[in-house]
Structure formats: structure tokens, C-alpha cells
Amino acid sequence: LFIFPSGIAQTNDQPAFVFLTKHSLEQIGDRSTAVYMGVVAIFVAEIYGIPMPFDKQFQVLATGILASIGSVGVPGAGLIMSTIVFTQVGIPLEGIAIIAGIDRVMDMARTTMNVLGDATGAIIVSKWEGEFDPEAGAKFAAEQEGNA
């Protein structure tokens, strides 16, 4: 039995299935980081007045997806990987300083959504399989409050 800190209980098989499936999908790349790199590149290019025609936008897309593959699971890697995208399309690397101040907050938001997606997927699969047990979770939460 696997019990989340929130008190949701399910068998050990379900989280393993969900996390393995999600992990195999992440091999394609962390989508939120790829989108972030694209938005950051377009934003900084606009600040510097660099035109971004369709071909450069496609380069940003392709490079962002490829760079995000190497940044899965590494905190703060999106900022470093953005330098690859900037270099590819000719955006000055000094633009990284513009986004560095908000990158940590954005990284925490991406991580929060990633964890929320993992937990939601595990709950959905456990409900589909009929192994979702909220009573066991409530019992576990009561035990934890008693031990505190």
C-alpha cells in the first residue's frame, strides 16, 4: 500500500505504472521547459528588437525541444538551456540576465505542475483499477496526527 502525504492510499502497483508511463513520455522532453524556452527567446528578441520570422521561430521550437531533453529533472536547467536557444537564433546572451530574476519562480511553478500531474495520474489510474482507498488514507492521516 502506498499512501501520499495528503492521505490518499493506493496499492504499490499503480504509482509504479503511472510514473513509468510518465517517465517514458518525459524522454521526449520536458514540455513545460521547451515552451518556457520558446517564450523566453521570443520575449528577449522583442526587447532587443531582433526580428523573429517563421524560420527562426521554428529553430527556437526545435532547439527548445532538443535542449529540454537534457534538462529533465535538473532544477534550474531551463535557464542554462536557454543559452543554447539564444545562441542558435542569434539573440545576445546578455538577455539571460533579464530573465534570471524570475526564472527560479517559474521553475518552481513548472515543478509544481509536474508533481500535481504525477499525483493526479496516479489517482486516476487507481480509480480506474478500483484500488483507490480514501478510508486507508484517512486512517493514515489520523495516525500521523497522533504521532506528532
Side-chain angles (χ1 to χ4, degrees):
L1 184 67
F2 180 79
I3 302 178
F4 286 101
S6 62
I8 297 169
Q10 57 195 14
T11 63
N12 288 333
D13 296 341
Q14 303 309 319
F17 169 75
V18 171
F19 296 129
L20 283 174
T21 304
K22 184 180 179 302
H23 177 70
S24 64
L25 290 173
E26 279 187 346
Q27 294 303 316
I28 299 168
D30 185 5
R31 282 118 2 245
S32 62
T33 302
V35 170
Y36 173 73
M37 284 188 244
V39 169
V40 164
I42 301 294
F43 175 75
V44 174
E46 285 293 320
I47 289 175
Y48 279 104
I50 298 170
M52 294 293 285
F54 183 74
D55 63 327
K56 281 197 174 189
Q57 290 179 25
F58 183 75
Q59 284 180 329
V60 167
L61 172 71
T63 308
I65 290 171
L66 292 174
S68 70
I69 291 171
S71 68
V72 172
V74 180
L79 184 66
I80 304 304
M81 295 298 178
S82 293
T83 61
I84 296 170
V85 176
F86 282 27
T87 303
Q88 179 66 28
V89 294
I91 299 171
L93 291 179
E94 291 82 6
I96 294 292
I98 297 170
I99 59 169
I102 60 160
D103 182 68
R104 185 64 185 143
V105 175
M106 296 300 292
D107 190 42
M108 287 187 274
R110 290 191 307 269
T111 301
T112 301
M113 295 309 294
N114 193 4
V115 171
L116 182 63
D118 290 348
T120 302
I123 291 169
I124 289 171
V125 169
S126 68
K127 283 188 176 187
W128 282 345
E129 296 294 322
E131 297 186 12
F132 182 71
D133 190 3
E135 289 82 24
K139 180 181 174 187
F140 177 77
E143 288 174 3
Q144 293 300 313
E145 288 178 9
N147 291 338

